[in-house]
Amino acid sequence: MSNNLKKIIIVSSVFLLISSVLLLSCFNRTNYFLNKTIRLVSLRLIQFERLSIVRKEDYKFNFYEDHYDISFFNNRTKNWRLFASHTYPNDITPSIGDLEIILKNGRISHFEIEGEEKKLKSFLILNFFAHKISSKSKGIIFYKDGNWRAFGL
Amino acid sequence: MSHTKFIARLKKATQLLWKNWVIIVLLGFSLLIRIYIFKNIRPGFHTDSITYLILSDLETVRTPGYPLFIEAIQFINDLFSMTTDYLGLIVLVQMFLLGTLNCFLIYKLAKIITGNNSFSFVVGLLYNFDYLVMGFEFSILTETLSITLILITLLLYLEIFKGKKYAPYAAGLSSVFLLLTRPTFLTLFIGLLLITAIVYFRKIIKEGFFKHFRKAILIFLLINIAGIASWSLRNKIKFDYFGISSLLPYQLRHYTNNFFHKYKKDDHELMNTMAAIYLEENLNAAIFEARLMNEMNLTGPEISKLFLKMNLKLIKDNPGDYIKQIPDAISKYYGVYSYWWTVPHQKKLLNKRKPVSRILRYFFNIYQFLFTNSIAQIILLVIMPIILLFLVRKNKSAFHLVCLCEFVINYNFLVSVLSCSADNLRYRVPVEPLIVLISLPSFFLLVKNAPKSIKKILHKKPL
């Protein structure tokens, strides 16, 4: 096989691979964003679980319809301060309109739904859905013991 | 396709496989051992790990190389809905893709040095038994990716001087990705060029060596500068911090914590207050940083910038306190071989009951001996490299590679030891395969050349 032919084959296969991934991401857009949302929420939960141990601070996640806020508890002023705010991409929304979760010492210690404190009997599911494919349920399951995991891919 | 054509192609494919049997066996073995390890572990997750997870959340402390690698894996995962075990997936790719690739690259480098297929196979095989290196393959940390990038950079850099047209671009990109993965390698590309200048000094003066490679070297240099400048500019625009990383003060504090009480106040009010808070918080950087963010509304990059000034001022005012800690930092870098970073996995992976674990334990003990026994260390780190340099002196390509490897090993040692005095064992990991790569061929070449040398001595005519 000549060197030129080899080069053509390599370049075209790389081009094909990249374009097929891009095409797939266009067709599978909603599903992709749904997965990405759950992944980012999960990874941020992992981050702040660890930070709550290392920095000895409490962190709070507030999930609203179009965004979620992360706050920390200021031990000196004794109030919550906003740390970061993230929006959901596309038309993705959570199933619960107003959910509050508090992370303390690397564990989820507190749940509040629409301003009302909840004690979990077994588990709580925070589903995310896109209006285009509302039949698919993907989200995060929070257990009574303070553990949680993402599910539904 | 006609029958004869098919047979001919099959024959060609079989020949190709037979020709590369060493590589196939090597890769097969490294995959098998990783399957065994992967089945017995959970992803190693440290406090540093959380800072790499989300590319879009990066501040100035971390560089984008490793987060970009993670993002690429997660992009594919999001696209194909593969798993919700995000950390497990990163480790899987790290072990099976990077780990196996590293094994192959070590084999390739060993072949350049010794020219022997079987011996290179052994060196590649031994890479899989270095538990310290392996332990970082299942940790969400930058070490494994750094090893891959160091080895690729070295291989591609050598290709530049073989006249390959793609090499300066590929080597430059790989070097940029390396320094954006591990900012300690920021000036490595300059060092590589200097070493080349020394190795080919005669050719440069007599034969215009650099004239011949002028364009390639310029491309390599420019790509590196562009890579550094682009990330520094991003930091400047986004965080008002010019530089690729603001990690240095958090490294230096391991030195300065021991004499921080000697901090002298000056005109800088903010720095004085910060120093007081740092002492108040018992020199805990995480709590100190959180408090400054909460109480003084300072951003991460602002804190890093001032914290660096405080550390440098302390070292400048008390150089003796800094210097006297360096021997301890060296012994933490070279004098330790431990499973500390992989706790509690050593219970499963290094136990005496399972055969594979027993082999891993056996090699763990050998490596531990080599890195904790002073005589073995001198042989490993000083004598063997010198012998190797002497033995390969006539093979320019091998000599060049050995010099480059030695430079990378010592560069990493110097930067790590001078900037940090704690957990230095971890900083050795990216160059540990190179240390082994340099010392093993000396044994091999010594044994291989021994009969020849003896013959020569015996047949030498007396004066």
Side-chain angles (χ1 to χ4, degrees):
Chain A
M1 206 185 288
S2 72
N3 271 346
N4 276 344
L5 191 64
K6 257 187 194 173
K7 271 181 201 168
I8 291 168
I9 290 172
I10 292 170
V11 171
S12 53
S13 46
V14 169
F15 176 75
L16 265 174
L17 189 77
I18 293 171
S19 50
S20 55
V21 168
L22 286 176
L23 261 177
L24 193 71
S25 60
C26 286
F27 286 125
N28 213 4
R29 222 174 126 82
T30 316
N31 201 38
Y32 165 75
F33 279 120
L34 202 53
N35 289 340
K36 189 179 175 180
T37 307
I38 295 159
R39 192 242 306 171
L40 289 179
V41 172
S42 300
L43 292 181
R44 287 195 174 108
L45 275 168
I46 292 174
Q47 281 183 330
F48 287 96
E49 263 183 4
R50 181 61 68 133
L51 277 180
S52 72
I53 300 170
V54 177
R55 287 187 174 174
K56 291 174 185 154
E57 276 183 337
D58 297 347
Y59 290 93
K60 186 170 77 172
F61 277 65
N62 283 92
F63 294 94
Y64 301 110
E65 260 179 36
D66 56 348
H67 74 286
Y68 61 102
D69 293 337
I70 303 165
S71 325
F72 64 89
F73 190 72
N74 191 327
N75 285 318
R76 292 181 183 261
T77 54
K78 302 285 175 209
N79 60 12
W80 289 98
R81 272 186 62 182
L82 187 67
F83 183 81
S85 189
H86 303 280
T87 50
Y88 309 115
N90 275 13
D91 60 346
I92 290 162
T93 40
S95 55
I96 306 168
D98 183 2
L99 171 69
E100 185 179 295
I101 288 161
I102 295 177
L103 295 168
K104 206 181 181 93
N105 281 328
R107 281 237 179 261
I108 294 166
S109 67
H110 177 96
F111 292 93
E112 226 172 76
I113 298 174
E114 284 158 8
E116 221 174 277
E117 194 176 339
K118 294 272 172 196
K119 277 207 173 147
L120 295 188
K121 281 177 188 163
S122 51
F123 59 83
L124 170 83
I125 292 176
L126 173 66
N127 265 324
F128 286 90
F129 63 91
H131 293 294
K132 282 178 193 165
I133 45 163
S134 53
S135 58
K136 277 194 180 177
S137 72
K138 297 181 181 207
I140 297 166
I141 183 162
F142 297 99
Y143 296 104
K144 189 181 163 186
D145 60 0
N147 280 322
W148 59 274
R149 69 174 177 85
F151 76 97
L153 288 179
Chain B
M1 200 192 298
S2 69
H3 182 69
T4 44
K5 241 184 183 177
F6 176 74
I7 296 286
R9 283 199 179 168
L10 200 72
K11 225 176 181 180
K12 215 176 173 186
T14 323
Q15 273 174 351
L16 197 77
L17 279 177
W18 183 243
K19 213 173 136 190
N20 295 312
W21 72 270
V22 166
I23 297 172
I24 294 164
V25 173
L26 184 68
L27 296 185
F29 180 82
S30 66
L31 282 176
L32 279 178
I33 196 157
R34 278 170 181 80
I35 290 170
Y36 173 78
I37 291 174
F38 190 72
K39 272 174 70 185
N40 284 293
I41 53 113
R42 275 184 305 140
F45 197 70
H46 300 270
T47 307
D48 280 2
S49 309
I50 62 167
T51 56
Y52 300 114
L53 292 178
I54 301 170
L55 183 68
S56 55
D57 288 358
L58 276 193
E59 275 198 3
T60 53
V61 172
R62 295 291 173 206
T63 40
Y66 192 54
L68 207 64
F69 167 74
I70 291 177
E71 195 68 30
I73 298 167
Q74 300 299 355
F75 169 73
I76 303 289
N77 183 33
D78 292 341
L79 203 59
F80 294 101
S81 305
M82 292 189 293
T83 177
T84 50
D85 181 8
Y86 305 111
L87 305 183
L89 183 69
I90 298 167
V91 165
L92 182 95
V93 177
Q94 217 161 253
M95 286 186 77
F96 290 94
L97 185 76
L98 297 187
T100 316
L101 181 63
N102 289 351
C103 181
F104 172 71
L105 292 169
I106 286 288
Y107 158 82
K108 281 287 265 187
L109 290 172
K111 211 174 162 192
I112 294 174
I113 296 172
T114 62
N116 188 292
N117 215 15
S118 312
F119 176 76
S120 309
F121 169 73
V122 174
V123 179
L125 210 64
L126 281 175
Y127 173 82
N128 300 303
F129 291 109
D130 191 341
Y131 183 78
L132 179 66
V133 174
M134 206 60 142
F136 280 89
E137 278 188 22
F138 56 82
S139 302
I140 314 277
L141 291 167
T142 58
E143 275 66 17
T144 308
L145 182 63
S146 303
I147 295 174
T148 313
L149 292 168
I150 290 172
L151 300 178
I152 289 179
T153 305
L154 285 175
L155 264 175
L156 291 171
Y157 182 76
L158 279 181
E159 296 285 294
I160 295 178
F161 304 99
K162 285 179 187 163
K164 298 271 166 65
K165 276 184 184 171
Y166 70 89
Y169 301 97
L173 284 175
S174 157
S175 166
V176 166
F177 201 26
L178 171 65
L179 65 90
L180 290 181
T181 299
R182 221 174 165 79
T184 45
F185 290 113
L186 179 66
T187 53
L188 185 81
F189 67 103
I190 299 170
L192 293 182
L193 289 172
L194 285 175
I195 292 295
T196 305
I198 295 166
V199 170
Y200 290 104
F201 187 68
R202 264 192 210 165
K203 274 192 173 181
I204 291 167
I205 292 176
K206 288 181 182 169
E207 298 165 32
F209 177 81
F210 265 148
K211 254 186 205 169
H212 188 62
F213 294 107
R214 195 173 43 196
K215 197 182 156 194
I217 288 168
L218 201 69
I219 291 167
F220 176 71
L221 208 71
L222 282 177
I223 291 176
N224 275 284
I225 292 167
I228 295 167
S230 57
W231 189 251
S232 303
L233 209 65
R234 174 262 185 194
N235 283 344
K236 181 71 187 166
I237 293 166
K238 215 170 169 187
F239 299 105
D240 193 26
Y241 179 91
F242 193 78
I244 67 159
S245 165
S246 60
L247 180 69
L248 188 59
Y250 297 97
Q251 306 278 86
L252 279 176
R253 82 191 151 94
H254 292 290
Y255 270 115
T256 55
N257 273 1
N258 293 323
F259 51 96
F260 204 91
H261 59 275
K262 291 184 181 175
Y263 186 85
K264 283 179 203 155
K265 287 184 179 176
D266 57 10
D267 313 335
H268 203 301
E269 272 309 310
L270 188 55
M271 261 164 62
N272 295 342
T273 318
M274 280 173 71
I277 290 175
Y278 193 50
L279 281 169
E280 237 175 75
E281 294 300 346
N282 296 320
L283 312 175
N284 184 326
I287 297 173
F288 159 74
E289 196 187 6
R291 209 177 134 186
L292 291 177
M293 282 176 173
N294 301 348
E295 289 176 17
M296 300 170 80
N297 277 335
L298 289 173
T299 61
E302 281 170 342
I303 296 169
S304 303
K305 219 192 254 179
L306 292 167
F307 198 34
L308 178 63
K309 274 187 187 171
M310 284 160 64
N311 276 289
L312 293 178
K313 181 176 152 20
L314 260 164
I315 292 169
K316 199 179 144 198
D317 293 345
N318 311 281
D321 287 298
Y322 170 73
I323 292 165
K324 75 179 177 197
Q325 289 180 73
I326 291 177
D328 183 48
I330 294 173
S331 81
K332 277 178 188 161
Y333 182 90
Y334 269 137
V336 190
Y337 190 89
S338 142
Y339 50 69
W340 186 88
W341 281 92
T342 61
V343 171
H345 294 100
Q346 84 285 358
K347 284 179 192 164
K348 269 189 178 176
L349 294 175
L350 297 176
N351 70 29
K352 286 178 184 169
R353 275 167 283 153
K354 291 176 186 169
V356 181
S357 300
R358 226 182 294 158
I359 298 170
L360 282 173
R361 190 188 170 88
Y362 176 74
F363 278 99
F364 179 87
N365 289 335
I366 293 178
Y367 277 107
Q368 196 170 47
F369 170 77
L370 289 174
F371 280 101
T372 48
N373 183 292
S374 323
I375 297 168
Q377 270 178 310
I378 291 170
I379 294 172
L380 188 76
L381 299 166
V382 184
I383 298 175
M384 293 329 271
I386 293 172
I387 292 174
L388 185 64
L389 279 171
F390 178 75
L391 290 173
V392 297
R393 70 193 183 283
K394 282 177 187 166
N395 179 349
K396 216 53 179 173
S397 182
F399 185 74
H400 190 197
L401 175 61
V402 175
C403 288
L404 292 174
C405 289
E406 262 309 302
F407 172 73
V408 177
I409 292 167
N410 291 305
Y411 169 92
N412 187 64
F413 162 69
L414 269 178
V415 175
S416 304
V417 161
L418 293 178
S419 63
C420 190
S421 64
D423 295 336
N424 278 353
L425 169 67
R426 182 185 153 192
Y427 303 129
R428 193 183 75 215
V429 174
V431 296
E432 179 140 322
L434 290 183
I435 297 173
V436 180
L437 177 75
I438 293 297
S439 51
L440 283 177
S442 343
F443 276 114
F444 170 75
L445 291 174
L446 268 180
V447 174
K448 194 186 161 197
N449 294 336
K452 251 189 202 172
S453 311
I454 293 167
K455 246 184 195 175
K456 241 184 190 177
I457 294 165
L458 287 175
H459 287 93
K460 219 176 189 180
K461 283 177 188 169
L463 284 169

